[in-house]
Amino acid sequence: VNPAGEAVVSSEQKVYDVVLKQAALLKRQLRTLDRPQLDMPRSGLKEAYARCGEICQEYAKTFYLGTMLMTEERRRAIWAIYVWCRRTDELVDGPNANYITPTALDRWEKRLEDLFAGRPYDMLDAALSDTISRFPIDIQPFRDMIEGMRSDLRKARYKNFDELYMYCYYVAGTVGLMSVPVMGIAPESKATTESVYSAALALGIANQLTNILRDVGEDARRGRVYLPQDELAQAGLSDEDIFYGVVTNRWRNFMKQQIKRARMFFEEAERGVTELSQASRWPVWASLLLYRQILDEIEANDYNNFTRRAYVGKGKKLLALPVAYGKSLL
């Protein structure tokens, strides 16, 4: 309750309400077969999915490799979701980002609604439109991702982790909620559907927190600080310290706490990966292990994320793949 006597709902509770809705949809196995059928020949859909696969292979090589172990229907669906998310992200981070306005995002959301109604605008939309007719996928996470893009247009500071958590959900946690119905839950799993969705959400949050910690210097050069302002102040730091970009003991201690939080979300995500359908686990394990290693690289760089970009080398990536595959078989 705030000083005015109004009930205040935390970001985590707001997001968990979405999780419950998605889990209920999956448990009831509601499908979208009442949506209008696509007026598109099968050869056209095959070409559309193939193009999605090419884009996924080009921009997410490790993840693409993992999808090759999935059934054809699931593999194609994940490609279609990946491509829509990438196109959405590029609206504000791509080469034309400077020209994107809230009106453009409104048009993109209208296009999303048409896509869910079976009226795709282009080949890539058609692949996703077909996907949502085959799996119990809800529109809300897609809408929320667009809301995250709106946030990037109007906001460059987050006063506390509650605000940052909501942003991380919008731009990355949503991907987990979109993907669970396609990945599938293992028939032998005794976990609740809600817990599997919560773990998928945690992986998205962990990945985005890792992105933020890796890109501190790059974001600062764009005038953005994706770090909780109250925690910076408690550590004796300010935006000016970030723009100045010098690693100090205060910065090291602050980063240690931020990395610890990201690892906690990765640990929560691990508990859910084991509950997924076995054929879907490898790409998720690969993503989790590789992204978590970025945190190790930040530490190896002595927490200098101002001028050094932490990345996982090709050799470490290749070593992670068999480890991820082994975990997917357990």
Side-chain angles (χ1 to χ4, degrees), residues 104-147:
L105 291 175
D106 291 343
R107 287 197 296 268
W108 187 248
E109 185 166 6
K110 175 63 171 64
R111 179 168 169 166
L112 171 70
E113 291 166 357
D114 286 344
L115 184 158
F116 264 78
R119 298 188 298 273
Y121 281 42
D122 61 18
M123 172 193 293
L124 301 178
D125 282 354
L128 183 57
S129 198
D130 182 65
T131 290
I132 61 178
S133 72
R134 297 171 182 271
F135 295 93
I137 298 173
D138 186 55
I139 195 173
Q140 190 61 46
F142 295 83
R143 283 180 172 146
D144 287 344
M145 178 172 277
I146 296 173
E147 185 59 33

Side-chain angles (χ1 to χ4, degrees), residues 26-292:
L26 185 61
K27 282 192 287 190
R28 294 197 303 269
Q29 286 295 300
L30 294 180
R31 294 177 177 269
T32 54
L33 301 180
D34 57 330
R35 292 182 179 138
Q37 293 297 305
L38 287 175
D39 185 16
M40 189 175 185
R42 293 188 65 83
S43 59
L45 271 176
K46 185 176 180 181
E47 184 182 353
Y49 278 118
R51 180 59 187 140
C52 288
E54 290 169 2
I55 295 171
C56 186
Q57 183 179 22
E58 180 178 357
Y59 293 102
K61 292 179 176 61
T62 303
F63 183 74
Y64 172 82
L65 182 62
T67 64
M68 299 308 290
L69 286 183
M70 301 169 72
T71 63
E72 183 181 5
E73 185 180 34
R74 286 177 174 170
R75 177 169 65 240
R76 298 192 315 170
I78 287 296
W79 290 346
I81 291 172
Y82 171 84
V83 168
W84 185 88
C85 292
R86 180 170 183 80
R87 293 172 89 188
T88 303
D89 181 66
E90 287 200 338
L91 291 175
V92 295
D93 282 334
N96 298 315
N98 290 337
Y99 305 102
I100 293 299
T101 64
T103 302
L105 291 175
D106 291 343
R107 287 197 296 268
W108 187 248
E109 185 166 6
K110 175 63 171 64
R111 179 168 169 166
L112 171 70
E113 291 166 357
D114 286 344
L115 184 158
F116 264 78
R119 298 188 298 273
Y121 281 42
D122 61 18
M123 172 193 293
L124 301 178
D125 282 354
L128 183 57
S129 198
D130 182 65
T131 290
I132 61 178
S133 72
R134 297 171 182 271
F135 295 93
I137 298 173
D138 186 55
I139 195 173
Q140 190 61 46
F142 295 83
R143 283 180 172 146
D144 287 344
M145 178 172 277
I146 296 173
E147 185 59 33
M149 302 304 113
R150 290 193 183 99
S151 177
D152 264 335
L153 293 182
R154 64 175 181 254
K155 193 167 185 174
R157 300 290 187 279
Y158 295 85
K159 64 182 182 181
N160 52 39
F161 183 69
D162 189 67
E163 284 192 1
L164 186 63
Y165 178 91
M166 199 70 188
Y167 173 75
C168 291
Y169 161 68
Y170 281 147
V171 300
T174 48
V175 181
L177 304 192
M178 298 172 191
S179 303
V180 169
V182 175
M183 296 287 189
I185 298 175
E188 68 275 13
S189 172
K190 293 181 172 58
T192 65
T193 308
E194 291 85 353
S195 69
V196 176
Y197 266 102
S198 292
L201 169 67
L203 180 56
I205 300 291
N207 286 347
Q208 187 59 27
L209 289 175
T210 301
N211 282 340
I212 288 169
L213 299 180
R214 179 194 62 195
D215 298 338
V216 166
E218 182 181 322
D219 289 331
R221 288 186 284 277
R222 298 163 57 204
R224 295 181 170 275
V225 179
Y226 291 98
L227 297 167
Q229 292 288 309
D230 60 344
E231 294 178 22
L232 278 171
Q234 288 166 13
L237 297 164
S238 66
D239 290 354
E240 284 67 31
D241 293 298
I242 294 171
F243 295 143
Y244 194 52
V246 174
V247 177
T248 63
N249 284 333
R250 285 182 179 180
W251 179 252
R252 291 185 184 96
N253 291 333
F254 173 78
M255 282 300 302
K256 287 175 184 177
Q257 294 305 311
Q258 302 303 308
I259 289 173
K260 180 180 179 181
R261 173 188 281 145
R263 283 179 172 146
M264 286 172 57
F265 280 102
F266 277 122
E267 289 170 9
E268 183 180 346
E270 278 196 23
R271 293 192 285 272
V273 183
T274 56
E275 308 300 336
L276 295 176
S277 171
Q278 185 172 331
S280 300
R281 290 177 202 159
W282 192 27
V284 184
W285 269 119
S287 171
L288 191 157
L289 294 178
L290 289 172
Y291 248 85
R292 189 161 55 189

